[in-house]
Short mmCIF file of all heavy atoms in Angstrom, two decimals:
data_model
loop_
_atom_site.label_atom_id
_atom_site.label_comp_id
_atom_site.label_asym_id
_atom_site.label_seq_id
_atom_site.Cartn_x
_atom_site.Cartn_y
_atom_site.Cartn_z
N GLY A 91 15.48 -2.19 91.54
CA GLY A 91 14.33 -1.55 90.92
C GLY A 91 13.52 -0.77 91.94
O GLY A 91 13.96 -0.50 93.06
N GLY A 92 12.31 -0.40 91.53
CA GLY A 92 11.45 0.39 92.41
C GLY A 92 10.16 0.75 91.72
O GLY A 92 9.72 0.05 90.79
N PRO A 93 9.54 1.86 92.11
CA PRO A 93 8.22 2.22 91.55
C PRO A 93 8.24 2.48 90.05
O PRO A 93 7.20 2.44 89.40
CB PRO A 93 7.84 3.48 92.33
CG PRO A 93 9.13 4.01 92.89
CD PRO A 93 9.97 2.80 93.14
N TYR A 94 9.41 2.77 89.48
CA TYR A 94 9.51 3.01 88.04
C TYR A 94 10.24 1.88 87.33
O TYR A 94 10.81 2.07 86.25
CB TYR A 94 10.21 4.35 87.78
CG TYR A 94 9.48 5.51 88.40
CD1 TYR A 94 9.95 6.08 89.59
CD2 TYR A 94 8.31 6.01 87.84
CE1 TYR A 94 9.28 7.14 90.18
CE2 TYR A 94 7.63 7.06 88.43
CZ TYR A 94 8.11 7.62 89.60
OH TYR A 94 7.43 8.67 90.19
N GLY A 95 10.20 0.70 87.96
CA GLY A 95 10.82 -0.46 87.34
C GLY A 95 12.33 -0.44 87.44
O GLY A 95 12.90 0.23 88.31
N PRO A 96 13.02 -1.14 86.53
CA PRO A 96 14.49 -1.22 86.61
C PRO A 96 15.20 0.11 86.38
O PRO A 96 16.38 0.24 86.69
CB PRO A 96 14.84 -2.23 85.50
CG PRO A 96 13.68 -2.18 84.55
CD PRO A 96 12.48 -1.93 85.41
N ASP A 97 14.48 1.10 85.82
CA ASP A 97 15.08 2.41 85.59
C ASP A 97 14.90 3.36 86.76
O ASP A 97 15.23 4.55 86.66
CB ASP A 97 14.51 3.05 84.33
CG ASP A 97 14.95 2.34 83.06
OD1 ASP A 97 15.91 1.55 83.13
OD2 ASP A 97 14.34 2.59 82.00
N THR A 98 14.38 2.88 87.88
CA THR A 98 14.19 3.74 89.05
C THR A 98 15.54 4.27 89.53
O THR A 98 16.49 3.51 89.73
CB THR A 98 13.51 2.96 90.19
OG1 THR A 98 12.22 2.51 89.75
CG2 THR A 98 13.35 3.82 91.43
N CYS A 99 15.61 5.58 89.72
CA CYS A 99 16.87 6.20 90.15
C CYS A 99 17.01 6.15 91.67
O CYS A 99 16.03 6.12 92.41
CB CYS A 99 16.92 7.65 89.70
SG CYS A 99 16.90 7.89 87.91
N LYS A 100 18.25 6.15 92.10
CA LYS A 100 18.53 6.29 93.53
C LYS A 100 18.09 7.68 94.00
O LYS A 100 17.92 8.61 93.21
CB LYS A 100 20.03 6.12 93.80
CG LYS A 100 20.55 4.71 93.59
CD LYS A 100 22.04 4.63 93.87
CE LYS A 100 22.57 3.21 93.72
NZ LYS A 100 24.04 3.13 93.97
N GLN A 101 17.91 7.81 95.31
CA GLN A 101 17.49 9.09 95.86
C GLN A 101 18.48 10.18 95.48
O GLN A 101 19.70 10.00 95.57
CB GLN A 101 17.38 8.99 97.38
CG GLN A 101 16.80 10.24 98.03
CD GLN A 101 16.56 10.06 99.52
OE1 GLN A 101 16.86 9.01 100.08
NE2 GLN A 101 16.01 11.08 100.16
N GLY A 102 17.95 11.30 95.05
CA GLY A 102 18.78 12.43 94.65
C GLY A 102 19.01 12.53 93.16
O GLY A 102 19.59 13.52 92.70
N TYR A 103 18.55 11.52 92.42
CA TYR A 103 18.71 11.53 90.97
C TYR A 103 17.36 11.43 90.28
O TYR A 103 16.38 10.90 90.84
CB TYR A 103 19.61 10.37 90.53
CG TYR A 103 21.02 10.46 91.06
CD1 TYR A 103 21.42 9.72 92.17
CD2 TYR A 103 21.94 11.30 90.46
CE1 TYR A 103 22.72 9.82 92.67
CE2 TYR A 103 23.25 11.41 90.94
CZ TYR A 103 23.62 10.65 92.05
OH TYR A 103 24.90 10.76 92.54
N VAL A 104 17.32 11.93 89.05
CA VAL A 104 16.10 11.90 88.23
C VAL A 104 16.47 11.50 86.82
O VAL A 104 17.65 11.52 86.44
CB VAL A 104 15.41 13.28 88.22
CG1 VAL A 104 14.92 13.66 89.60
CG2 VAL A 104 16.36 14.36 87.66
N TRP A 105 15.49 11.15 86.02
CA TRP A 105 15.75 10.86 84.61
C TRP A 105 16.17 12.15 83.90
O TRP A 105 15.61 13.21 84.13
CB TRP A 105 14.52 10.29 83.95
CG TRP A 105 14.17 8.90 84.42
CD1 TRP A 105 14.99 8.01 85.03
CD2 TRP A 105 12.89 8.28 84.30
NE1 TRP A 105 14.30 6.83 85.30
CE2 TRP A 105 13.02 6.97 84.86
CE3 TRP A 105 11.66 8.66 83.78
CZ2 TRP A 105 11.95 6.07 84.92
CZ3 TRP A 105 10.59 7.78 83.83
CH2 TRP A 105 10.74 6.49 84.39
N ARG A 106 17.12 12.01 83.00
CA ARG A 106 17.64 13.19 82.28
C ARG A 106 16.62 13.73 81.28
O ARG A 106 16.46 14.93 81.12
CB ARG A 106 18.95 12.84 81.59
CG ARG A 106 19.63 14.00 80.89
CD ARG A 106 21.00 13.58 80.38
NE ARG A 106 20.91 12.38 79.54
CZ ARG A 106 21.96 11.63 79.21
NH1 ARG A 106 23.17 11.95 79.63
NH2 ARG A 106 21.81 10.57 78.45
N GLU A 107 16.00 12.84 80.52
CA GLU A 107 14.92 13.20 79.59
C GLU A 107 15.36 14.18 78.50
O GLU A 107 14.68 15.17 78.22
CB GLU A 107 13.71 13.74 80.34
CG GLU A 107 13.07 12.69 81.25
CD GLU A 107 11.84 13.18 81.99
OE1 GLU A 107 11.69 14.41 82.16
OE2 GLU A 107 11.03 12.33 82.39
N THR A 108 16.49 13.89 77.85
CA THR A 108 16.80 14.64 76.64
C THR A 108 15.78 14.32 75.55
O THR A 108 15.60 15.08 74.60
CB THR A 108 18.21 14.28 76.12
OG1 THR A 108 18.29 12.86 75.91
CG2 THR A 108 19.28 14.71 77.12
N ARG A 109 15.12 13.18 75.68
CA ARG A 109 13.94 12.78 74.93
C ARG A 109 13.12 11.93 75.90
O ARG A 109 13.63 11.51 76.95
CB ARG A 109 14.32 12.00 73.67
CG ARG A 109 15.07 10.71 73.94
CD ARG A 109 15.36 9.95 72.65
NE ARG A 109 16.14 8.73 72.91
CZ ARG A 109 16.45 7.85 71.96
NH1 ARG A 109 16.04 8.04 70.71
NH2 ARG A 109 17.17 6.79 72.27
N PRO A 110 11.85 11.68 75.62
CA PRO A 110 11.02 10.97 76.60
C PRO A 110 11.57 9.63 77.06
O PRO A 110 11.35 9.23 78.21
CB PRO A 110 9.68 10.81 75.86
CG PRO A 110 9.63 11.99 74.96
CD PRO A 110 11.05 12.19 74.49
N SER A 111 12.30 8.92 76.21
CA SER A 111 12.81 7.60 76.56
C SER A 111 14.19 7.64 77.23
O SER A 111 14.75 6.59 77.54
CB SER A 111 12.88 6.71 75.32
OG SER A 111 13.76 7.27 74.35
N ASP A 112 14.73 8.83 77.45
CA ASP A 112 16.05 8.96 78.08
C ASP A 112 15.90 8.83 79.59
O ASP A 112 15.51 9.78 80.27
CB ASP A 112 16.68 10.30 77.72
CG ASP A 112 18.05 10.51 78.36
OD1 ASP A 112 18.55 9.56 79.00
OD2 ASP A 112 18.60 11.61 78.21
N HIS A 113 16.21 7.65 80.13
CA HIS A 113 16.07 7.38 81.55
C HIS A 113 17.41 7.29 82.26
O HIS A 113 17.54 6.63 83.30
CB HIS A 113 15.27 6.09 81.76
CG HIS A 113 13.85 6.20 81.35
ND1 HIS A 113 12.96 5.13 81.35
CD2 HIS A 113 13.11 7.26 80.90
CE1 HIS A 113 11.78 5.52 80.93
NE2 HIS A 113 11.84 6.81 80.65
N VAL A 114 18.43 7.93 81.72
CA VAL A 114 19.72 8.01 82.41
C VAL A 114 19.52 8.83 83.68
O VAL A 114 18.93 9.92 83.65
CB VAL A 114 20.80 8.64 81.51
CG1 VAL A 114 22.08 8.89 82.30
CG2 VAL A 114 21.08 7.76 80.31
N CYS A 115 20.00 8.32 84.80
CA CYS A 115 19.82 8.99 86.09
C CYS A 115 20.88 10.07 86.29
O CYS A 115 22.08 9.80 86.19
CB CYS A 115 19.89 7.97 87.22
SG CYS A 115 18.54 6.75 87.17
N VAL A 116 20.42 11.28 86.57
CA VAL A 116 21.31 12.44 86.70
C VAL A 116 20.82 13.32 87.84
O VAL A 116 19.69 13.19 88.31
CB VAL A 116 21.33 13.26 85.39
CG1 VAL A 116 21.86 12.45 84.23
CG2 VAL A 116 19.93 13.80 85.07
#
Side-chain angles (χ1 to χ4, degrees):
Y94 301 103
D97 290 345
T98 299
C99 297
K100 291 180 178 179
Q101 186 174 2
Y103 296 100
V104 296
W105 291 340
R106 184 173 53 195
E107 296 182 338
T108 56
R109 61 178 178 176
S111 61
D112 179 6
H113 292 175
V114 172
C115 295
V116 298

